[in-house]
């Protein structure tokens, strides 16, 4: 199946081949133009010249199946493709963005930047997972950053679409992926868990935060498997200024068992954007690796071996982020108290059907237009703290363990706008909020619940206590 | 071109009507019947007449083992299937029976092979349920893609670059690319008697330009079809099966 090498100036299906911009292990990238397509483009051509590697063929076929099914700001736009019956190629948008690979030399990074970039990559993974695709090769070279900071994922050659045949799994015994970032279950040949991408992102954040790779860069199977029993040096030991919340998040991503990681990329994103709400466990304060006894047990005791299962496809749907906008009882007299109880009952009815759900409890602390700096003074701070305490008190009867519930006091002039911003920036799936009985004034100016339900990018449930007809 | 692939209608008028309507609305330009028009169900006359009319207009139909048994008798079939074939033989006109008897065992066009069961020996009616059976079928043809039925369970088998065979359970309504450089065996599932746990009728739509195959599930009035089976005095199990889809 050897084919002549493409050279600058050649034409293929109307595409004029320009300069070769990259020569990777499995494929070559050329800059191309076409009279009918007015955007910068790249043509990807599999490397088949030096003897055929079946992996190069299969990964090219997978990318050809998956890329046309993706769209949005986090992936390059698919333009055209051809299969192996002739000269195979994929033409895609040449994204105006820089590769993260170049920036990795600057590691360790300021810790705020690690969380910010981690959140941007988590947003890209959330969008990808919602489209049924697991990337399975998250590493600096496959992440581009647009001018505005949006993360773009490229190279879907090792990816898996959960509604299409997985040509890679059937083909090869050995795992494919990138050694520093590959999840333990992927090392063991499982290619169907979206949380493998969260592990890779955890390894990447570890690298950004400390300048070191958590598991090195092993080149043999034996070295790859070490991550099943040997935990990495905690980031705070290498770099004390890493905040406990960031270490908590990174080490949770690097849990060997996928069930112990964040259930979804969206929930990881919520933690990275709201470090003050992260529930700190023993991971946060850990300053040294697990003792020899624990490591030996994990390695040799069959009882302690992780069991990797193929997750059910409904994983993401069963672990949504629920946000509840709580009107605290002091805010509305007797009617307000009734409403906040009704809200809690509504949430309590939803939670049992969603075992992986995360609940974000929100309260809006209204600011006066003329006193925008209230938060800065002592009175403002104590108000904020008291509201947080009240939110915790409101949620206590739900009996949710720490880690499944977070509390947020949003300070804003316009409550509807603040709620909408929160549910948009954090990928909330479902907002629950209360509505008071109707009044002439409310009908005139419009209520918060009406504004949120009209404009929220997700499901909205409006809770209203049954009105009595007196 | 959009080609609707309909296997194992099994004399189920309600299911066939629903699938034909669905396929028409989806823009099907050609119909292919992959065998077993009759057997089990209570509407053999209507189904055979309908398919005869479609074939006269250019549709393709191949013969299945139940169609074959109308002429040869139910030898080798289990009790339920045999009872249904005996009942069917009395109902069909000589013209309809002759149409079934003359159906080809397979049909090939533009690299696509249509056959009821395993293509390596179509008249032996082997089930294509696993990779080994699919490989035997694949090796018997040069066709790029083989479309068959017989198992009543939707599956896709593909041969890989390293000559291994993959099995895949298609997701209803999701188009699966059938890469041109590989060989495929697509098992369509049943229009008239699904057995994969989903009682809705199953058929496939092939887009030849995009080289994509979509398995569709079409809800239909299974209760009415089951009631007719009971009224005809056919085994009760055949009625229950339509309601359970298993």
């Amino acid at each position: 199946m050897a084919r002549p090498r493409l050279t600058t100036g050649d034409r293929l299906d109307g595409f004029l081949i320009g300069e070769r911009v990259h020569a990777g292990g499995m494929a070559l990238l050329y800059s191309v133009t076409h009279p009918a397509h007015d955007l910068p483009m790249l043509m990807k051509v599999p490397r088949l010249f030096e003897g055929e590697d079946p992996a190069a063929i299969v990964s090219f076929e997978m990318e050809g199946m998956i890329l046309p099914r993706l769209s949005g700001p986090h992936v390059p736009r698919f333009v055209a493709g051809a299969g192996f019956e002739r000269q195979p190629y994929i033409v895609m948008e040449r994204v105006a963005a820089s590769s993260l690979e170049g920036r990795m030399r600057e590691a360790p990074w300021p810790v705020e930047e690690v969380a910010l970039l981690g959140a941007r990559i988590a947003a890209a993974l959330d969008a990808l997972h919602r489209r049924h695709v697991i990337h399975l090769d998250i590493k600096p070279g496959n992440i581009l950053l647009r001018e505005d900071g949006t993360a773009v994922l490229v190279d879907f050659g090792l990816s898996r679409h959960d509604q299409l045949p997985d040509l890679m799994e059937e083909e090869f015994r050995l795992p494919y992926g990138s050694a520093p970032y590959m999840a333990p279950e992927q090392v063991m040949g499982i290619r169907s868990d979206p949380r493998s991408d969260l592990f890779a992102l955890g390894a990447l954040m570890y690298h950004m935060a400390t300048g070191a790779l958590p598991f090195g860069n092993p080149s043999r199977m034996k070295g790859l498997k070490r991550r099943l029993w040997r935990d990495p040096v905690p980031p705070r030991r290498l770099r004390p200024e890493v905040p406990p919340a960031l270490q908590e998040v990174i080490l949770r991503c690097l849990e060997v068992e996928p069930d112990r990681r964040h259930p979804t990329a969206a929930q990881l994103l919520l933690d990275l954007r709201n470090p003050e709400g992260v529930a700190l466990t023993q991971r946060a304060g850990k300053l040294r690796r697990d003792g020899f006894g624990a490591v030996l047990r994990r390695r040799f005791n069959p009882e302690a071996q992780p069991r990797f299962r193929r997750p059910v496809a409904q994983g993401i749907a069963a672990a949504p982020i629920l946000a509840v906008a709580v009107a605290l009882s002091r805010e509305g007299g007797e009617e307000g108290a009734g409403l906040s109880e009704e809200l809690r009952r509504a949430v309590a009815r939803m939670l049992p059907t969603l075992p992986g759900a995360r609940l974000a409890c929100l309260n809006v602390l209204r600011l006066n237009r003329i006193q925008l700096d209230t938060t800065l003074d002592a009175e403002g701070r104590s108000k904020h703290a008291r509201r947080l305490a009240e939110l915790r008190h409101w949620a206590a009867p739900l009996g949710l363990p720490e880690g499944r519930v977070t509390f947020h006091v949003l300070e804003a002039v316009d409550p509807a706008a603040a709620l909408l911003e929160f549910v948009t920036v954090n990928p909330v799936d479902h907002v629950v909020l209360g509505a008071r009985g109707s009044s002439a004034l409310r009908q005139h100016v419009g209520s918060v619940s009406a504004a949120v339900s009209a404009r929220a990018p997700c499901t909205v449930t409006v809770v209203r206590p049954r009105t009595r007809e007196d | 071109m959009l080609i609707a692939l309909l296997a194992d209608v099994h004399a189920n008028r309600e299911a066939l009507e629903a699938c034909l309507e669905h396929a028409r609305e989806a823009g099907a330009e050609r119909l292919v019947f992959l065998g077993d028009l009759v057997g089990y169900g209570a509407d053999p006359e209507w189904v055979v007449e309908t398919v005869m009319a479609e074939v006269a207009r250019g549709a393709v139909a191949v013969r299945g083992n139940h169609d074959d048994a109308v002429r040869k008798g139910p030898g080798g079939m289990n009790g339920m299937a045999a009872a249904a074939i005996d009942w069917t033989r009395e109902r069909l006109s000589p013209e309809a029976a002759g149409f079934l008897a003359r159906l080809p065992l397979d049909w090939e066009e533009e690299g696509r092979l249509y056959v009821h069961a395993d293509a390596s020996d179509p008249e032996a009616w082997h089930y294509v349920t696993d990779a080994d059976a699919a490989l035997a079928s694949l090796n018997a043809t040069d066709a790029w893609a083989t479309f068959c039925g017989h198992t009543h369970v939707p599956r896709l088998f593909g041969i890989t670059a390293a000559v291994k065979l993959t099995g895949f359970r298609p997701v209803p309504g999701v188009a699966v690319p059938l890469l041109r450089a590989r060989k495929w065996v697509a098992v369509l599932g049943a229009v008239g008697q699904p057995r994969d746990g989903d009682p809705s009728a199953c058929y496939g739509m092939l887009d030849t330009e995009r080289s994509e195959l979509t398995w569709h599930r079409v809800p239909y009035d299974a209760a009415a079809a089951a009631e007719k089976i009971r009224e005809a005095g056919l085994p009760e199990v055949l009625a229950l099966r339509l309601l359970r889809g298993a």
Side-chain angles (χ1 to χ4, degrees):
Chain A
M1 215 170 3
R3 294 179 182 84
R5 203 182 277 268
L6 284 175
T7 46
T8 304
D10 285 355
R11 271 187 193 280
L12 184 55
D13 292 348
F15 291 97
L16 179 64
I17 312 293
E19 52 159 349
R20 195 169 87 184
V21 296
H22 182 73
M26 287 194 183
L28 307 170
L29 285 176
Y30 297 90
S31 150
V32 294
T33 55
H34 190 289
H37 301 285
D38 186 23
L39 77 168
M41 291 176 291
L42 288 176
M43 178 181 280
K44 187 170 185 174
V45 181
R47 217 184 233 288
L48 296 171
F49 318 108
E50 298 93 17
E52 282 184 37
D53 175 6
I57 298 177
V58 177
S59 92
F60 195 81
E61 287 177 327
M62 288 304 294
E63 183 156 32
M65 290 206 291
I66 288 173
L67 195 59
R69 283 164 175 75
L70 298 173
S71 60
H74 300 295
V75 291
R77 205 170 101 201
F78 172 82
V79 177
F84 281 86
E85 59 278 14
R86 323 178 277 129
Q87 168 65 55
Y89 67 82
I90 295 170
V91 176
M92 66 190 100
E93 167 197 8
R94 182 173 190 173
V95 181
S98 57
S99 165
L100 180 59
E101 195 159 28
R103 288 199 54 200
M104 291 311 287
R105 269 173 251 121
E106 300 160 24
W109 295 11
V111 290
E112 309 77 49
E113 267 190 64
V114 175
L116 179 68
L117 192 73
R120 286 173 167 160
I121 299 167
L125 287 175
D126 179 42
L128 190 70
H129 293 171
R130 283 175 199 265
R131 289 177 180 268
H132 302 279
V133 175
I134 314 170
H135 191 283
L136 296 173
D137 196 15
I138 290 298
K139 61 177 180 183
N142 288 340
I143 297 166
L144 310 180
L145 299 170
R146 293 189 198 266
E147 288 269 298
D148 68 356
T150 308
V152 180
L153 307 176
V154 296
D155 197 344
F156 297 89
L158 298 184
S159 300
R160 162 86 190 249
H161 191 299
D162 75 12
Q163 298 182 327
L164 294 179
D166 182 22
L167 308 175
M168 285 306 269
E169 180 171 272
E170 303 290 338
E171 195 86 54
F172 307 106
R173 284 256 193 78
L174 292 173
Y176 270 84
S178 299
Y181 307 102
M182 206 192 304
E185 65 276 14
Q186 210 178 330
V187 172
M188 303 312 287
I190 289 183
R191 295 178 30 86
S192 51
D193 198 324
R195 294 167 298 185
S196 301
D197 286 343
L198 304 191
F199 184 96
L201 175 51
L204 186 58
M205 288 192 291
Y206 185 106
H207 188 185
M208 294 190 285
T210 65
L213 292 168
F215 308 101
N217 188 7
S219 55
R220 291 160 181 269
M221 191 64 186
K222 198 174 157 206
L224 276 171
K225 280 172 91 168
R226 244 178 98 78
R227 67 194 63 185
L228 271 80
W229 57 81
R230 194 49 165 135
D231 55 320
V233 176
R236 276 157 58 72
R237 177 162 190 103
L238 299 174
R239 195 151 172 247
E241 61 265 47
V242 171
L246 184 59
Q247 170 157 312
E248 173 74 35
V249 171
I250 291 174
L251 291 184
R252 188 170 174 196
C253 289
L254 296 179
E255 284 284 354
V256 174
E257 305 218 22
D259 283 347
R260 298 175 66 102
R261 299 176 207 149
H262 296 82
T264 61
Q267 293 201 23
L268 169 57
L269 171 57
L270 184 73
D271 274 358
L272 286 166
R273 283 213 196 277
N274 303 280
E276 72 289 345
V278 174
L280 303 182
T281 70
Q282 57 89 26
R283 292 183 201 111
K286 203 174 162 188
L287 284 177
R288 58 189 51 171
R289 298 209 276 184
D290 294 339
F292 227 55
V295 173
L296 286 176
R297 191 169 59 249
R298 282 201 293 260
R299 182 165 184 186
F300 296 111
N301 183 349
E303 300 284 300
Q305 308 283 311
R307 273 186 294 272
F308 300 121
R309 290 163 290 142
R310 276 151 217 276
V312 275
Q314 294 309 312
I316 295 180
I321 300 178
L322 245 62
V324 54
V326 183
L328 294 165
S329 54
R330 294 185 307 107
E331 292 177 275
E334 199 189 322
E335 194 192 6
L339 184 53
S340 88
E341 261 174 53
E342 195 60 42
L343 266 172
R344 192 167 50 223
R345 273 197 290 273
V347 171
R349 281 194 297 269
M350 292 172 186
L351 288 171
T353 59
L354 302 165
R358 177 82 170 256
L359 182 67
C361 303
L362 316 179
N363 177 255
V364 181
L365 180 56
R366 267 187 113 141
L367 302 179
N368 294 321
R369 241 170 250 280
I370 43 167
Q371 290 179 289
L372 282 175
D373 59 347
T374 341
T375 39
L376 299 178
D377 62 34
E379 194 199 338
R381 273 202 299 278
S382 78
K383 227 182 204 177
H384 191 112
R386 206 163 57 233
R387 286 288 177 93
L388 270 178
E390 285 171 359
L391 268 180
R392 286 179 186 279
H393 179 73
W394 176 87
L398 293 170
L400 286 171
E402 263 200 287
R404 281 197 58 200
V405 57
T406 51
F407 304 95
H408 313 261
V409 173
L410 314 176
E411 301 185 15
V413 174
D414 178 350
L419 291 172
L420 281 165
E421 194 199 335
F422 185 92
V423 303
T424 307
V425 171
N426 300 290
V428 169
D429 298 283
H430 189 162
V431 195
V432 185
L433 77 177
R436 308 241 164 100
S438 76
S439 75
L441 176 66
R442 223 168 264 134
Q443 279 174 12
H444 181 64
V445 300
S447 64
V448 171
S449 58
V452 171
S453 53
R455 281 157 47 210
C458 62
T459 303
V460 178
T461 297
V462 175
V463 173
R464 177 178 283 140
R466 175 94 202 143
T467 42
R468 274 185 307 237
E469 291 184 31
D470 294 320
Chain B
M1 184 165 59
L2 291 179
I3 303 177
L5 301 155
L6 303 120
D8 297 282
V9 178
H10 284 298
N12 186 334
R13 175 178 179 162
E14 286 72 19
L16 181 57
E17 278 179 331
C19 287
L20 288 177
E21 189 185 330
H22 188 283
R24 248 193 316 273
E25 280 172 12
E29 296 152 273
R30 185 169 177 72
L31 300 179
V32 174
F33 294 92
L34 294 169
D36 279 1
L37 297 175
V38 301
Y40 300 138
D43 272 314
E45 310 96 309
W46 186 88
V47 166
V48 176
E49 273 166 32
T50 301
V51 174
M52 280 169 76
E54 292 295 349
V55 168
R57 281 199 289 271
V60 171
V62 297
R63 198 191 325 153
N65 52 316
H66 287 252
D67 308 324
D68 209 38
V70 168
R71 177 167 57 99
K72 295 183 181 160
M77 282 182 152
N78 67 38
M80 248 177 357
I85 284 299
D86 286 335
W87 179 87
T88 302
R89 294 174 84 183
E90 291 169 17
R91 302 286 296 259
L92 290 179
S93 66
E95 193 195 1
F99 171 78
L100 293 179
R102 284 190 304 275
L103 287 175
L105 281 168
D106 54 23
W107 182 277
E108 192 169 338
E109 59 183 19
E110 295 168 15
R112 302 183 294 268
L113 178 69
Y114 309 127
V115 60
H116 181 61
D118 166 20
S120 69
D121 188 358
E123 225 169 344
W125 317 114
H126 294 305
Y127 290 99
V128 180
T129 46
D130 57 22
D132 288 342
L135 193 60
S137 182
L138 265 178
N139 286 337
T141 173
D142 292 330
W144 150 72
T146 302
F147 300 92
C148 67
H150 195 42
T151 67
H152 298 212
V153 176
R155 277 289 183 283
L156 176 66
F157 298 97
I159 197 152
T160 73
V163 203
K164 287 185 193 163
L165 215 78
T166 63
F168 175 66
R169 203 182 291 248
V171 180
V174 176
V176 180
L178 302 185
L179 305 172
R180 283 281 174 177
R182 291 168 177 249
K183 283 175 77 179
W184 302 92
V185 179
V187 188
L188 271 303
V191 171
Q193 196 201 61
R195 291 180 195 166
D196 61 342
D198 179 353
S200 56
C202 185
Y203 84 98
M205 187 75 95
L206 177 72
D207 182 331
T208 56
E209 258 123 74
R210 302 174 64 94
S211 201
E212 287 180 350
L213 177 61
T214 308
W215 279 257
H216 288 294
R217 295 315 282 249
V218 186
Y220 75 99
D221 193 351
E227 195 47 42
K228 285 186 190 171
I229 286 174
R230 292 187 177 116
E231 278 171 16
L234 288 163
E236 170 66 14
V237 181
L238 296 176
L240 286 177
R241 205 157 200 186
L242 295 189
L243 302 174
R244 285 202 313 262

